[in-house]
Amino acid sequence: MFVAQRMTANPFTVTSGSSVPEAQEVMASHGVRHLPVVDDGAVVGVISKNDIRAALPSQATTLSAQEATYLVSKLRVGKVMSKPAVVISPEALLEEAAVLMRDNKIEILPVVEDGALVGVITESDLLDSFIDIMGFRDPGTRLTIEAKDQPGVLATLTGITANHHANIQHLAVHRGLLDTSVVIVGVNTPNTEAIEADLEAAGMHVLGRLVNG
């Protein structure tokens, strides 16, 4: 799956010259925690609620509330934003986005095409994609199977489901450290007893079953 399929297009933005209160207002009005910072069409940074919180006067300050409010009103986004922005292409895979976020310890990536901002992708977008890819909410049955890590096992598994006229809707494989893998397969039927019996007979062990109505 590609970033373009999961990103939020036309995101809300601010400029580096915007005031911090302006950025706070945009975040509050639209229920977002991060904003790309765009100057002359180019992404120059990202500002988050955490960036703003870190820039605000400490509660231990001797400033009066009025003085603190005045100072914050003069604070510009460009002074507190995270820069340079880590960006990604809409043609990139979701896995690439996840690695970039993880490695850089960030929660959002501006999506840039031909130098222009076309969207953003967030941790929440990735989590929603993971849920969809794994078929966790789809009707049917989700089987978690332990199988030998060797050629032909998946062919055997798909052959068994086909013999029972069950359609595989989702499939994922996690390779273990030993000679087995965990296979997660979603089929479009709530009745999998016969399928499970044939899997066990073929040397696969059904570890779990989740049925969604």
Side-chain angles (χ1 to χ4, degrees):
M1 191 175 293
F2 299 100
V3 167
Q5 296 171 278
R6 284 292 179 172
M7 71 181 189
T8 299
N10 303 313
F12 303 106
T13 65
V14 290
T15 68
S16 61
S18 300
S19 70
V20 166
E22 288 173 333
Q24 289 176 306
E25 175 60 28
V26 173
M27 291 181 186
S29 297
H30 302 290
V32 297
R33 300 176 60 244
H34 309 79
L35 293 169
V37 183
V38 180
D39 287 344
D40 299 323
V43 178
V44 295
V46 172
I47 187 166
S48 69
K49 286 188 174 182
N50 287 339
D51 293 327
I52 294 173
R53 190 177 297 115
L56 295 179
S58 167
Q59 292 183 347
T61 182
T62 58
L63 294 173
S64 68
Q66 185 176 4
E67 289 172 325
T69 300
Y70 174 77
L71 288 176
V72 171
S73 71
K74 297 299 182 182
L75 194 58
R76 298 296 150 184
V77 166
K79 293 292 186 181
V80 301
M81 69 184 184
S82 299
K83 59 181 181 182
V86 181
V87 303
I88 196 165
S89 163
E91 287 81 28
L93 294 171
L94 287 182
E95 296 94 319
E96 296 177 75
V99 170
L100 275 176
M101 288 187 194
R102 184 65 174 169
D103 288 351
N104 290 280
K105 298 180 174 61
I106 54 179
E107 299 175 356
I108 186 173
L109 290 171
V111 184
V112 174
E113 185 173 35
D114 297 327
L117 179 71
V118 294
V120 293
I121 190 160
T122 67
E123 282 187 332
S124 294
D125 295 325
L126 293 181
L127 287 173
D128 287 341
S129 300
F130 175 76
I131 291 169
D132 289 348
I133 290 170
M134 298 302 293
F136 192 77
R137 294 193 176 109
D138 291 353
T141 304
R142 184 171 176 268
L143 298 175
T144 302
I145 303 161
E146 183 180 58
K148 291 182 179 180
D149 188 3
Q150 61 187 27
V153 170
L154 281 182
T156 300
L157 187 156
T158 56
I160 290 172
T161 59
N163 289 339
H164 292 278
H165 307 289
N167 184 39
I168 294 178
Q169 298 172 306
H170 304 276
L171 181 67
V173 179
H174 174 68
R175 298 189 66 186
L177 297 176
L178 300 175
D179 60 348
T180 61
S181 293
V182 173
V183 182
I184 300 170
V185 57
V187 293
N188 65 336
T189 175
N191 305 311
T192 58
E193 290 82 0
I195 293 174
E196 293 177 44
D198 284 356
L199 290 172
E200 294 281 355
M204 304 179 208
H205 180 46
V206 179
L207 303 176
R209 178 197 311 111
L210 177 67
V211 180
N212 288 332

